[in-house]
Amino acid sequence: MGMFLLLLIIATAIFVGIASKKFYDKPYVLNFAIALLMLLLVVQTLAMQPISMMGYFAIAFCSIAFVTQLVLGMKNVRLQA
């Protein structure tokens, strides 16, 4: 499970890099991809045992970034329609 999650994080990061150039006219794709990346990072950090103080900071910041990117993605979807 750990290796699959790590590969999924790497694949999502590569997609974010490609989407930043390819889907320039559709910013909501990039917002949702970044939100997925942040969610995967939170899950990966929660899977670590024991979680250090740096892990808790990563969970907090990635959770805030996840919500922010999700809200921006929803706004961009509404603006495109």
Side-chain angles (χ1 to χ4, degrees):
M1 176 66 178
M3 185 59 79
F4 175 71
L5 189 58
L6 185 61
L7 290 175
L8 196 58
I9 290 171
I10 292 169
T12 307
I14 291 171
F15 177 76
V16 166
I18 293 170
S20 66
K21 299 290 183 188
K22 189 168 183 127
F23 298 109
Y24 188 75
D25 57 335
K26 298 177 184 173
Y28 57 88
V29 173
L30 187 61
N31 291 126
F32 290 138
I34 293 173
L36 176 64
L37 182 62
M38 293 299 116
L39 181 64
L40 290 172
L41 288 174
V42 168
V43 170
Q44 174 71 25
T45 307
L46 287 173
M48 295 179 353
Q49 291 297 327
I51 299 176
S52 65
M53 196 57 145
M54 187 65 82
Y56 289 120
F57 284 132
I59 291 170
F61 286 125
C62 287
S63 297
I64 292 168
F66 168 73
V67 171
T68 303
Q69 289 298 322
L70 206 58
V71 168
L72 287 174
M74 300 261 191
K75 279 186 176 181
N76 286 330
V77 166
R78 288 187 184 137
L79 289 176
Q80 292 286 329

